[in-house]
Amino acid sequence: MFILPFSLKWQNSNIIDFHLQLVCRLMVNLPDAPNREKILRVILAKEDLAPDVDLEAVANMTDGYSGSDIKVFSHYLASI
């Protein structure tokens, strides 16, 4: 889906100044469990995780989360 709004702005000299503001929105699907696991591995690569941390299980519990959501909660949980 692309949204291309534009507006006309009248100047004092009665010359039309066209302003085209491009707003691009791309609709993408949420990542599936294997891709969420990959995202977790990339985000947490520099963190010291306990040996019993199962990123596959975490990926399965985060159904409906975007990559951005996963990044936010991963950084939060790694900081506490």
Side-chain angles (χ1 to χ4, degrees), residues 5-37:
F6 68 92
S7 62
L8 298 176
K9 182 179 177 184
W10 292 90
Q11 299 293 331
N12 290 337
S13 61
N14 292 329
I15 297 174
I16 298 175
D17 183 15
F18 290 96
H19 291 278
L20 180 61
Q21 177 188 6
L22 295 178
V23 177
C24 180
R25 294 182 187 209
L26 299 175
M27 302 301 288
V28 295
N29 293 328
L30 294 173
D32 57 1
N35 285 319
R36 289 192 305 271
E37 183 179 353

Side-chain angles (χ1 to χ4, degrees), residues 18-63:
F18 290 96
H19 291 278
L20 180 61
Q21 177 188 6
L22 295 178
V23 177
C24 180
R25 294 182 187 209
L26 299 175
M27 302 301 288
V28 295
N29 293 328
L30 294 173
D32 57 1
N35 285 319
R36 289 192 305 271
E37 183 179 353
K38 291 176 187 176
I39 291 168
L40 284 164
R41 291 193 187 283
V42 168
I43 292 171
L44 298 172
K46 295 181 182 178
E47 300 294 333
D48 292 326
L49 300 177
D52 62 342
V53 173
D54 185 4
L55 292 181
E56 182 180 358
V58 174
N60 288 326
M61 290 186 277
T62 55
D63 187 33

